[in-house]
Amino acid sequence: MAELRTLKKAMIEISGNISTAVQDINDAQVDQLVELLVNGLKSNRRIFVIGAGRSGLVVRAFAMRLMHLGFEVFVVGETITPAVTEKDILIAISGSGRTKLVVESSRIAKTNVGTVLVVITSYPDSPLAQLADLVVEIRGRTKIMEQNDYIQRQIKGEHSPLTPLGTLFESTVSAFLDGLISELMEKTGKDEKYLAERHAVIE
Amino acid sequence: MAELRTLKKAMIEISGNISTAVQDINDAQVDQLVELLVNGLKSNRRIFVIGAGRSGLVVRAFAMRLMHLGFEVFVVGETITPAVTEKDILIAISGSGRTKLVVESSRIAKTNVGTVLVVITSYPDSPLAQLADLVVEIRGRTKIMEQNDYIQRQIKGEHSPLTPLGTLFESTVSAFLDGLISELMEKTGKDEKYLAERHAVIE
Amino acid sequence: MAELRTLKKAMIEISGNISTAVQDINDAQVDQLVELLVNGLKSNRRIFVIGAGRSGLVVRAFAMRLMHLGFEVFVVGETITPAVTEKDILIAISGSGRTKLVVESSRIAKTNVGTVLVVITSYPDSPLAQLADLVVEIRGRTKIMEQNDYIQRQIKGEHSPLTPLGTLFESTVSAFLDGLISELMEKTGKDEKYLAERHAVIE
Amino acid sequence: MAELRTLKKAMIEISGNISTAVQDINDAQVDQLVELLVNGLKSNRRIFVIGAGRSGLVVRAFAMRLMHLGFEVFVVGETITPAVTEKDILIAISGSGRTKLVVESSRIAKTNVGTVLVVITSYPDSPLAQLADLVVEIRGRTKIMEQNDYIQRQIKGEHSPLTPLGTLFESTVSAFLDGLISELMEKTGKDEKYLAERHAVIE
């Protein structure tokens, strides 16, 4: 059988990482997050989300669905995002847990304001995770492909990874957050029709 | 065995849709797209990308990687996006191929300016696809879960889909575009280190 | 006396256009807009704003202050912007009143949804203004400097305008909207301290 | 004569602050900035701009015009913004010079990367200004209306300022940057037609 083209091998690696991640999910962490969000919706707590680069895009896609679900949600850095308060929940996403401006922003919200901080990361010992009230671990690139290793691999003439930089973390956390939306729909009794009614019509 | 929680079932559905999509990929379409982009990079053609809502976020994540790869790339609607010209390539993403402002924008670029238009969609017969020089089909939600059907399903008391609205299209096209980046890395001889050097440092 | 440097001449032209615009303001139009917004705040009507290019940045600056004032306000095209409804108010800004995507978006909101549409423009006869429930005229470039004229001026070897393209409209409408915020503060009894409390803290 | 309505008084205050600011402009600072940018354009140096909140919108309007003028320019935080290097110029705008994430980002660019840093601020002694290679002072709110004063004024029952928070800085720096564009057009021999050809057509 002919070898698959690179595009397909990469897609299979992404798909595989998502299904493997399912097994690694810490149910206790997810239970706490679901409870926080479901109770938050009932008591009109506002959700703020933050992420940089491609993680910032993933967290926006999540924020959009939270809005469809009826949450009052804001993306840090967008135009109409108000002052975060101690009654709000901030969800920060960073694979490494070391993205400087995300850490700094989360520190302001947590330390100066007293916001509840949820961190989604591959590194539960990272500076960002250490600030958190709740850490949800999502595995990204496995150890063997860590940043320090790939230089070694290049030197030895090994191939570039199919999923460079944060790709595996981003695609897996994206699937995780879509799964979370699905579970929130179930828990809050909202169906797809409810979501569709809130979906932007000017686009 | 206990039934999986909804979050995990949804993740498995997303993962499964990506690996199924691999089989459906039309290699001829992808070959043309890869060739267009590789030649574009060699001849300094600029890439413009457009999408609305969550597809707009997916296309931005792709644009970011194209930039890492050394492409001159612009997101329609962002601050420093210049006038598109007939030498540029516009990549438009829309699951339905009917998102009004994406269709209208693509029509301006294609008809008034003469830009090369690539459309990535689930609907090769849609108004957007009909404007295109090259259509790449990515399957999203299967027929049984089409928008018209879910209302029927609600009436019958069936469960909401695990992956509401455009979720399957968005996650699959996202994996497709990450796979495309991987294949472009191979074809252009760029490795992860090259990408990392272009990755934003202020974040 | 030495001639002023170009930078200063342009600033004086901008300043002068703002103070001249004060005299041209149609008080009846402004009264209607103030009343619409003050009543809107009391009855929790949501405000949506839209604009393209630099007008889009001006309208975002206005949206930010409306948020500081306690309005529920959304920027069309940002992540968490929900479906506009017939109870909402859409404020569209376009100097020419012909910016395609702004006209098209306003048409969707006005015709399909039934939203109240406010248009701020230099052209009360433009396609955008013709859709509006309320037009507020703000003068931009004077006739003598219209787009068709500047080519004539180039040919004759006259200098380029100090304030190219939409600059005068954008700076004047920006001052107008800041003035409107000031009047809304007065009418709603909100002071600067109230605004400061809503001002984003993560920045 | 009847007293002017608040909207008009605020517009006159904004207009007046711009014309007063003209007299306060430090020509030596502007000369250096113009020279840096004109030489930058000749030698293809890239410009990065950064600002938060409404200053972030003002700096984007400036970036858009730099792009129209033919500069390669990026907004920190937007999708396709690459890694800043020591050959690039970063222009940071902050009225107070204390906006945390702007200071932190500028510090990364200046200290870790070695980028040339231009700071536009009302406070030449601020933490941001102290990082800069070149400071351009633009006066915002006069001393009598400083943040610490307005609370005193509230207590005494005095009126809220017509131009709350950073309004005067933002509108004046906006006029300054439009003036700067005008001077750059003159120095580089670009006319309005040149700018119009680069202006986005999909909008």
Side-chain angles (χ1 to χ4, degrees), chain A residues 144-176:
Chain A
I144 203 167
M145 288 197 213
E146 288 299 332
Q147 193 133 346
N148 292 332
D149 282 322
Y150 82 77
I151 297 167
Q152 293 305 316
R153 295 165 54 110
Q154 305 296 333
I155 293 167
K156 293 185 213 148
E158 295 184 43
H159 293 305
S160 290
L162 291 166
T163 47
L165 305 172
T167 302
L168 281 186
F169 175 75
E170 293 144 12
S171 51
T172 303
V173 84
S174 175
F176 170 80

Side-chain angles (χ1 to χ4, degrees), chain D residues 5-160:
Chain D
R5 70 190 302 164
T6 299
L7 181 144
K8 293 180 178 177
K9 283 196 284 186
M11 287 181 76
I12 288 169
E13 185 167 314
I14 289 167
S15 167
N17 199 63
I18 294 171
S19 61
T20 310
V22 171
Q23 299 156 35
D24 292 347
I25 281 175
N26 181 322
D27 278 303
Q29 292 174 347
V30 175
D31 287 343
Q32 287 181 66
L33 179 53
V34 169
E35 195 188 344
L36 184 68
L37 291 172
V38 170
N39 289 341
L41 184 60
K42 283 180 196 155
S43 52
N44 291 317
R45 286 179 79 165
R46 304 185 303 179
I47 315 293
F48 287 66
V49 302
I50 189 170
R54 285 169 52 116
S55 290
L57 297 169
V58 167
V59 89
R60 281 171 195 222
F62 177 57
M64 210 180 281
R65 281 284 187 262
L66 286 178
M67 176 270 286
H68 294 157
L69 261 173
F71 283 87
E72 192 173 3
V73 57
F74 298 101
V75 179
V76 173
E78 292 205 343
T79 304
I80 53 93
T81 304
V84 69
T85 73
E86 79 284 358
K87 288 175 228 150
D88 301 321
I89 297 164
L90 175 64
I91 301 177
I93 297 190
S94 166
S96 68
R98 300 178 173 282
T99 313
K100 184 107 183 171
L101 298 187
V102 176
V103 176
E104 210 45 59
S105 299
S106 299
R107 194 188 308 280
I108 294 171
K110 180 69 202 160
T111 310
N112 302 8
V113 181
T115 311
V116 170
L117 177 63
V118 177
V119 166
I120 302 178
T121 182
S122 299
Y123 292 89
D125 297 329
S126 62
L128 182 61
Q130 285 171 10
L131 289 168
D133 296 286
L134 172 59
V135 175
V136 178
E137 259 183 270
I138 297 293
R139 84 177 204 170
R141 183 175 283 193
T142 54
K143 284 274 157 43
I144 204 168
M145 289 196 212
E146 286 301 329
Q147 192 135 345
N148 292 331
D149 284 322
Y150 80 76
I151 297 169
Q152 293 306 315
R153 293 165 55 109
Q154 304 297 333
I155 293 168
K156 295 187 212 145
E158 296 184 39
H159 293 306
S160 291

